[in-house]
């Protein structure tokens, strides 16, 4: 029964935008997209921006509660997948209150109204990225592309794999060390950190294998992504891909790591049971 399936603390009732104009973006621009979308929502929300959108309390202190995740969606998982971004989802935590959901919807509606003069679901809005690049997105309810459907990312499965790398919460050491002992220690630390990240979003501990590249068609290597966070003076996180195997099926979405709210650490369910 679905009620017995462990679920992540992120919900399945997404607000999904499809890119409708502008150049196709590689997944390495996902953090830029997420930051730009969050910035727009903060701009057009009630002031000061609510914690559910900003991820910060009124004093500027980072939130201790789950809040809105901005998830760029790449085309992956089939033979012609190029990994480029085709949309972005606003993913609310399952524990969001009605008032918090309304705050997000109000910010989206105001963004659409102010930027494109429309308040209906067909309104298009610009996403302005660093370097002067701009793409346009519009809300979609019945998307043609499977990567724009929440079911693609949320269905129960025992095995999951990253399509964008996880920004580890703790530095594991040198994951590229030539010394076998140093490498083994770093891999063990990375695996333990990912297990803790799963438990942080309400899931049981999985068996973890870390990888330098995504095993999913269209996925890009971790080294192809820019340093995170993209803020001078901040401690850089180690990025790694991974395959997770749980003892039982778990339901997504699975967003893991220090950048789970900001465009990294997205996993996709794999077909079949354990290997």
């Amino acid at each position: 029964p679905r009620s017995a399936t462990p679920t992540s603390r992120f919900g399945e009732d997404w607000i999904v935008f499809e890119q409708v104009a502008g150049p196709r973006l590689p997944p390495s621009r996902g953090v830029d997209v997420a930051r730009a979308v969050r910035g727009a929502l903060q701009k057009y929300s009630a002031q000061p921006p609510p914690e559910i959108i900003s991820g910060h309390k009124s004093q500027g202190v980072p939130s201790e509660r789950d809040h809105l995740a901005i998830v760029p969606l790449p085309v992956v998982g089939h033979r012609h997948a190029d990994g480029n971004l085709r949309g972005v989802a606003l993913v609310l935590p399952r524990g969001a209150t009605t008032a918090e959901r309304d705050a997000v919807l109000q910010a989206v509606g105001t963004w659409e109204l102010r930027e494109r003069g429309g308040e209906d679901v067909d309104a298009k809005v610009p996403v302005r990225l660093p370097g002067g690049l701009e793409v346009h997105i519009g809300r979609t309810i019945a998307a043609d592309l499977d990567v724009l459907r929440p079911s693609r990312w949320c269905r129960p499965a025992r095995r999951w794999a990253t399509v964008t790398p996880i920004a580890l919460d703790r530095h594991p050491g040198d994951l590229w060390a030539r010394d076998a002992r140093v490498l083994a220690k770093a891999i063990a630390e990375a695996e333990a950190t990912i297990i803790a990240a799963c438990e942080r979003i309400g899931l049981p501990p999985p068996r973890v294998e870390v990888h330098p590249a995504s095993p999913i068609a269209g996925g890009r290597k971790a080294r192809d992504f820019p340093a995170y966070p993209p803020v001078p003076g901040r401690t850089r996180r180690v990025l790694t891909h991974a395959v997770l195997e749980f003892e039982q099926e778990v339901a997504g979405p699975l967003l893991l790591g220090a950048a789970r709210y900001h465009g990294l650490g997205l996993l996709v369910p794999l077909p079949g049971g354990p290997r």
Side-chain angles (χ1 to χ4, degrees), residues 30-203:
V31 171
D32 288 340
V33 171
R35 286 167 59 87
V37 170
R38 192 181 303 278
L41 293 175
Q42 291 185 101
K43 176 181 178 180
Y44 292 116
S45 70
Q47 299 299 313
E51 185 176 347
I52 188 69
I53 293 175
S54 69
H56 289 81
K57 301 178 182 179
S58 58
Q59 303 86 354
V61 178
S63 177
E64 296 174 356
R65 302 177 56 222
D66 296 321
H67 54 274
L68 182 70
I70 314 293
V71 185
L73 301 172
V75 176
V76 294
H78 58 81
R79 60 182 300 185
H80 301 297
D82 58 13
N84 290 334
L85 304 179
R86 293 299 300 272
V88 60
L90 310 185
V91 181
L92 284 155
R94 293 183 189 274
T97 65
T98 300
E100 289 173 328
R101 293 173 186 273
D102 287 347
V104 173
L105 289 169
Q106 183 179 33
V108 170
T110 303
W111 185 18
E112 292 170 337
L113 181 65
R114 299 284 179 83
E115 289 283 4
R116 282 292 176 266
E119 56 186 352
D120 58 79
V121 75
D122 294 323
K124 309 300 187 293
V125 292
V127 178
R128 301 181 176 97
L129 304 174
L133 190 64
E134 183 173 298
V135 299
H136 289 77
I137 60 176
R139 268 195 280 175
T140 179
I141 295 175
D144 293 330
L145 289 173
D146 67 335
V147 298
L148 299 180
R149 301 176 191 142
S151 58
R152 174 72 174 90
W153 308 95
C154 298
R155 67 170 180 80
R158 290 187 61 180
R159 298 181 66 241
W160 295 73
T162 51
V163 298
T164 57
I166 299 168
L168 296 177
D169 294 291
R170 298 195 306 267
H171 197 291
D174 189 356
L175 286 173
W176 297 272
R178 294 187 178 183
D179 184 297
R181 288 176 297 180
V182 173
L183 177 60
K185 182 177 180 181
I187 289 174
E189 181 63 26
E191 291 172 349
T193 301
I194 293 171
I195 290 171
C198 289
E199 294 174 330
R200 190 172 295 114
I201 66 167
L203 297 176

